[in-house]
Amino acid sequence: MKNVRMFLTVAAWMICLSVTAQKKFSVYAVGFYNQENLFDTCHDVGKRDFDFLPNGSYHWDGLKYSHKLKNMSTALADMGTDVLPNVGCALIGLSEVENDKVLDALTSQPALKARGMKYVHIEGPDRRGVDCALLYNPALFKVISYKLLPYVPVLPKDSNFVTRGFLTVEGVLAGEPVTAIVCHWPSRFSTSYYRELAGTQVRAIKDSLLRRNPACKVLVMGDMNDDPEDKSMHDALGAKEDKEQVGDGEMYNPWYNIHKSGTGTLFYSGSWNLFDQIVMTPNLLTHKGEAKEHTKGLKFWKAQIFRRDYLIQSSGKYKGAPKRTTAGGVWLDGYSDHLPVVAYFYKQQ
């Protein structure tokens, strides 16, 4: 009976694509979602979180916080269920989370608790108190090690510039070494130079991982505060739009052509940006003419901007944009000003 239960558990999180009677593939989903100010209602010493206190500008109280947790956990649990209805994502990068306390509360919500979701988080230097984190399903992704690598200013005049670091989580997915680098690059209030510097530094981290283990498959994910075609992504990080032309030391960015089609994850001044991206090293790619049944190892399948009706503002001034928690000073009981993204990977059983 125990073996039967184990088989059913495995079957619940494995979607198989039959290519022939002998060839089947397992599918895994990886996501990223900007949580847009997931703060608790208490002050963290040394952080500028005053807007998110009961007497702050957002009048952030227990009711609003509890609704935020419920809303975000619902969306996070839904991510990836278009393909994996009983499973969702194996791992999800997060940005704009305040601390361990909010992550404990988030993963305790019924929608995520049912999946047994855990998290990795290291307190960062951001003065406002927002950090990156990684949610993961321990039945699918095994964490081996993690560290927060700092964003390093280069110019002497920027010696006091601090921002989110690069949360680097090494683990095992589908029996293979996979490392996720979760990012939240400097905001658009800073010039492109600061995001280009972030791209250069993340590229160096990726290169170091591959020198240590060429078999490691690296996923760089996050809110880059730049579109796929901007210099920080395309040139500094080296994330290219055509997988047939990804060279040595470069990465593949499936979001480039998605954004080119006119859609995105963030709606601003009448147009879509696509700041939320998951890019990958070439060892995750198949190439033109290469049949799935002839591939070995974990490979990229497709990318998706994850949409649900409840994530979109249905009326009013912001109709058609992502439904935010607060907009124009009004609490909307929404989700985030960003939409989530999901990348799917397959592996022959």
Side-chain angles (χ1 to χ4, degrees):
M1 188 66 175
K2 182 178 179 182
N3 288 339
V4 171
R5 285 198 299 269
M6 185 177 294
F7 173 80
L8 292 174
T9 299
V10 172
W13 58 258
M14 186 177 289
I15 295 292
C16 300
L17 303 178
S18 295
V19 178
T20 70
Q22 292 78 34
K23 302 288 186 180
K24 292 184 178 180
F25 296 83
S26 301
V27 177
Y28 303 86
V30 175
F32 176 81
Y33 195 12
N34 182 319
Q35 301 292 281
E36 193 196 13
N37 298 320
L38 182 52
F39 283 86
D40 59 29
T41 62
C42 303
H43 173 54
D44 279 6
V45 177
K47 301 297 184 180
R48 299 172 184 170
D49 58 0
F50 303 106
D51 287 339
F52 289 91
L53 299 176
N55 60 351
S57 62
Y58 286 90
H59 303 289
W60 197 243
D61 56 19
L63 174 67
K64 293 177 180 178
Y65 177 46
S66 64
H67 278 239
K68 177 77 169 181
L69 289 169
K70 180 181 178 181
N71 290 352
M72 301 314 294
S73 64
T74 298
L76 288 162
D78 277 353
M79 289 170 62
T81 57
D82 291 345
V83 173
L84 300 159
N86 298 315
V87 185
C89 288
L91 54 154
I92 306 173
L94 306 179
S95 65
E96 297 199 18
V97 296
E98 185 182 18
N99 50 35
D100 280 355
K101 181 180 176 182
V102 301
L103 287 162
D104 285 335
L106 182 67
T107 53
S108 296
Q109 296 296 303
L112 293 178
K113 187 175 182 180
R115 300 261 173 84
M117 297 296 279
K118 306 297 183 183
Y119 69 84
V120 173
H121 167 252
I122 298 174
E123 189 69 29
D126 185 88
R127 291 191 173 102
R128 198 165 68 89
V130 291
D131 297 326
C132 293
L134 184 76
L135 290 183
Y136 68 96
N137 184 335
L140 300 172
F141 182 72
K142 179 182 178 181
V143 174
I144 302 299
S145 66
Y146 56 91
K147 53 193 171 184
L148 183 67
L149 298 170
Y151 176 97
V152 181
V154 173
L155 300 178
K157 72 180 181 68
D158 295 326
S159 59
N160 292 322
F161 184 86
V162 293
T163 189
R164 286 79 53 176
F166 314 115
L167 181 64
T168 304
V169 183
E170 298 184 55
V172 177
L173 178 67
E176 300 186 26
V178 172
T179 296
I181 305 174
V182 188
C183 306
H184 188 184
W185 289 0
S187 76
R188 302 286 273 197
F189 292 109
S190 304
T191 63
S192 175
Y193 163 81
Y194 294 92
R195 292 181 297 283
E196 291 173 50
L197 185 58
T200 299
Q201 292 180 15
V202 172
R203 188 172 187 167
I205 295 168
K206 178 264 299 178
D207 289 344
S208 176
L209 290 165
L210 292 177
R211 281 194 299 270
R212 178 156 53 89
N213 181 9
C216 180
K217 296 180 174 181
V218 183
L219 300 170
V220 175
M221 62 179 72
D223 174 1
M224 310 306 188
N225 272 308
D226 264 337
D227 290 317
E229 63 270 23
D230 289 330
K231 287 183 178 180
S232 64
M233 290 298 298
H234 195 261
D235 299 335
L237 182 59
K240 305 303 183 182
E241 68 273 22
D242 185 348
K243 64 182 180 180
E244 302 300 328
Q245 296 180 7
V246 176
D248 291 340
E250 296 180 335
M251 306 187 79
Y252 174 57
N253 191 346
W255 311 97
Y256 189 105
N257 291 313
I258 292 175
H259 184 235
K260 192 175 180 180
S261 72
T263 190
T265 57
L266 177 70
F267 195 73
Y268 181 73
S269 295
S271 62
W272 286 98
N273 291 104
L274 209 166
F275 291 173
D276 308 272
Q277 300 165 58
I278 302 169
V279 303
M280 62 207 68
T281 45
N283 53 9
L284 281 159
L285 302 178
T286 56
H287 296 282
K288 189 175 182 180
E290 186 177 4
K292 283 187 174 67
E293 59 266 32
H294 295 152
T295 61
K296 294 182 179 180
L298 192 66
K299 298 296 181 181
F300 172 68
W301 178 24
K302 65 178 181 177
Q304 169 196 43
I305 297 174
F306 184 77
R307 290 176 177 266
R308 287 288 190 270
D309 288 345
Y310 63 75
L311 294 174
I312 305 297
Q313 188 70 34
S314 60
S315 61
K317 179 180 178 181
Y318 304 104
K319 182 178 180 179
K323 186 177 181 180
R324 304 183 61 167
T325 302
T326 302
V330 177
W331 181 53
L332 302 177
D333 193 16
Y335 297 79
S336 173
D337 55 343
H338 294 243
L339 292 175
V341 292
V342 180
Y344 294 97
F345 301 85
Y346 67 86
K347 183 177 182 178
Q348 183 175 316
Q349 293 181 30

